[in-house]
Amino acid sequence: MAQDWRLFQGGATEPHEVTAWPPAPPWRRFGDDPRRRGEDQGRGLPYLISDEDRDVVNMALHLHRPLLVTGRPGTGKSTLAHAIARELMLGEVLHWPVNSRSTLTEGLYSYDAVGRLREASLKRHVDETAGSEPDIGDYLRLGPLGTALLAAGQPRVLLVDELDKGDVDLPNDLLTVFEEGEFEIPELARLGEGKTVRVQIAGSREKAGITSGWVSCRVFPVVIITSNGEREFPPAFLRRCVRLDLKQPDERQLQQIVTMHLGEEVGARAQELIADFVARRNERELATDQLLNAVRLRSSGVRVDHDVLDKLFRSLNEADA
């Protein structure tokens, strides 16, 4: 295997400077201001989807229902949310990554009561005559779901990622919010009828005014819920969702994906690698981004031999050594 691609030697006696740092793959480039992503809605890569699956997505949009997307890792479940937001110019995707500790309240809003109490105590310590409490709006923040339910002329796109990793009761907890399209913030409701408080929203430094403690949408958000199929959801929850099961891309689609991400010249030289990936995928669970990583390494001049492929194409179900 070629030696010059190894930046780290492991046995070097003297530190050495890397004068030509390898350029990052297109999907691993950072530094862009996230607040400007919405300005380039139409410039992203096209999303490969079958006519049948495309129609299911459109059914969810017309019915204003959550879209429950299942499929193996690497089939494009999360990417679908970004594709919808980009093509329909609906702004940046609101992302709620679910884990075993996630609760409905976390998705709706958070309130730093301890921080507000601490700030009030500091003010009284500095000035014993100070009688005003810190603005409660400075200690409240809407979560991704809460932000998606703000009243607006056009819907926001909300990605509820890997709901099957959450608590068993979370899908049922979401039902009322999805059906009603509104929720109450008790800490603000107690301030009195007609009281408006400005609170920070998710994914932005902007604030939104909330009156009487209620958040109520005008248009139901585009809700994309992903699941890796680790467990079943309650029938009542499934009944309120439009369901889409994404299949693994075949060899032709993989060729298109590689070409879109890395260019026609690289894609044309990747046919043998793609065929090898498909053969391995028939025997173990692999994700499409593993193929992209292998093609990217080879196009960078790295000699991608059988040993390297074994490391890159490690099964997603393989236990850590």
Side-chain angles (χ1 to χ4, degrees):
M1 185 180 299
Q3 298 293 318
D4 57 357
W5 75 280
R6 291 191 173 99
L7 305 178
F8 172 69
Q9 298 296 331
T13 57
E14 294 291 336
H16 58 95
E17 182 180 1
V18 178
T19 56
W21 197 257
W27 55 90
R28 293 296 298 168
R29 292 172 185 165
F30 304 98
D32 294 335
D33 186 346
R35 290 169 293 174
R36 296 187 57 191
R37 290 174 189 162
E39 299 175 8
D40 301 318
Q41 295 293 332
R43 301 180 186 175
L45 295 171
Y47 183 82
L48 293 179
I49 189 169
S50 68
D51 292 344
E52 180 182 358
D53 291 345
R54 179 199 58 200
D55 289 346
V56 175
V57 173
N58 281 289
M59 282 190 277
L61 298 179
H62 279 275
L63 295 173
H64 293 234
R65 287 285 186 184
L67 180 67
L68 176 60
V69 187
T70 56
R72 292 185 176 183
T75 52
K77 299 186 297 296
S78 301
T79 310
L80 176 59
H82 295 274
I84 294 171
R86 182 177 62 246
E87 182 174 327
L88 302 183
M89 301 181 68
L90 297 178
E92 187 177 353
V93 172
L94 296 164
H95 186 203
W96 182 15
V98 174
N99 57 51
S100 59
R101 300 178 300 279
S102 297
T103 63
L104 174 62
T105 301
E106 169 197 302
L108 295 174
Y109 74 99
S110 60
Y111 174 46
D112 185 7
V114 174
R116 188 177 183 223
L117 179 61
R118 184 186 303 114
E119 182 69 19
S121 299
L122 288 173
K123 285 186 175 181
R124 285 193 293 269
H125 179 73
V126 174
D127 183 1
E128 295 182 356
T129 64
S132 61
E133 294 289 328
D135 185 356
I136 190 173
D138 293 336
Y139 300 89
L140 270 163
R141 181 186 182 93
L142 292 182
L145 175 56
T147 300
L149 291 172
L150 285 170
Q154 282 193 315
R156 292 292 302 271
V157 177
L158 170 66
L159 172 60
V160 184
D161 215 1
E162 298 190 330
L163 182 61
D164 49 338
K165 293 187 180 297
D167 184 82
V168 67
D169 293 324
L170 184 57
N172 281 330
D173 293 340
L174 288 168
L175 287 180
T176 300
V177 176
F178 284 161
E179 287 301 294
E180 302 297 332
E182 61 181 9
F183 68 98
E184 182 187 46
I185 301 177
E187 292 85 353
L188 298 184
R190 287 194 289 266
L191 299 179
E193 187 70 25
K195 175 70 173 178
T196 298
V197 178
R198 295 188 62 78
V199 304
Q200 191 171 348
I201 64 177
S204 172
R205 297 176 184 174
E206 297 179 2
K207 290 190 173 184
I210 297 176
T211 303
S212 304
W214 277 95
V215 175
S216 183
C217 67
R218 287 200 197 105
V219 183
F220 189 73
V222 177
V223 180
I224 309 298
I225 303 170
T226 71
S227 168
N228 289 326
E230 294 186 6
R231 63 178 176 83
E232 289 294 325
F233 294 118
F237 177 79
L238 295 175
R239 192 169 64 248
R240 289 165 172 83
C241 296
V242 176
R243 301 165 69 178
L244 171 64
D245 184 32
L246 290 178
K247 307 300 183 186
Q248 288 184 318
D250 58 24
E251 192 165 337
R252 179 186 61 83
Q253 291 170 322
L254 288 171
Q255 184 76 52
Q256 291 177 300
I257 291 171
V258 169
T259 300
M260 283 194 307
H261 282 279
L262 297 171
E264 292 186 8
E265 184 179 348
V266 173
R269 297 199 306 265
Q271 294 180 359
E272 181 181 345
L273 199 54
I274 292 172
D276 185 10
F277 173 82
V278 172
R280 291 170 182 257
R281 195 181 63 182
N282 291 334
E283 301 174 355
R284 67 188 83 164
E285 188 169 355
L286 299 175
T288 304
D289 56 357
Q290 292 171 284
L291 169 64
L292 289 172
N293 289 335
V295 177
R296 171 65 184 189
L297 272 182
R298 175 173 286 180
S299 68
S300 300
V302 177
R303 182 184 170 191
V304 181
D305 60 11
H306 187 78
D307 182 56
V308 172
L309 285 181
D310 281 343
K311 292 180 173 63
L312 288 173
F313 292 164
R314 185 175 180 180
S315 173
L316 300 178
N317 291 328
E318 186 178 344
D320 290 334

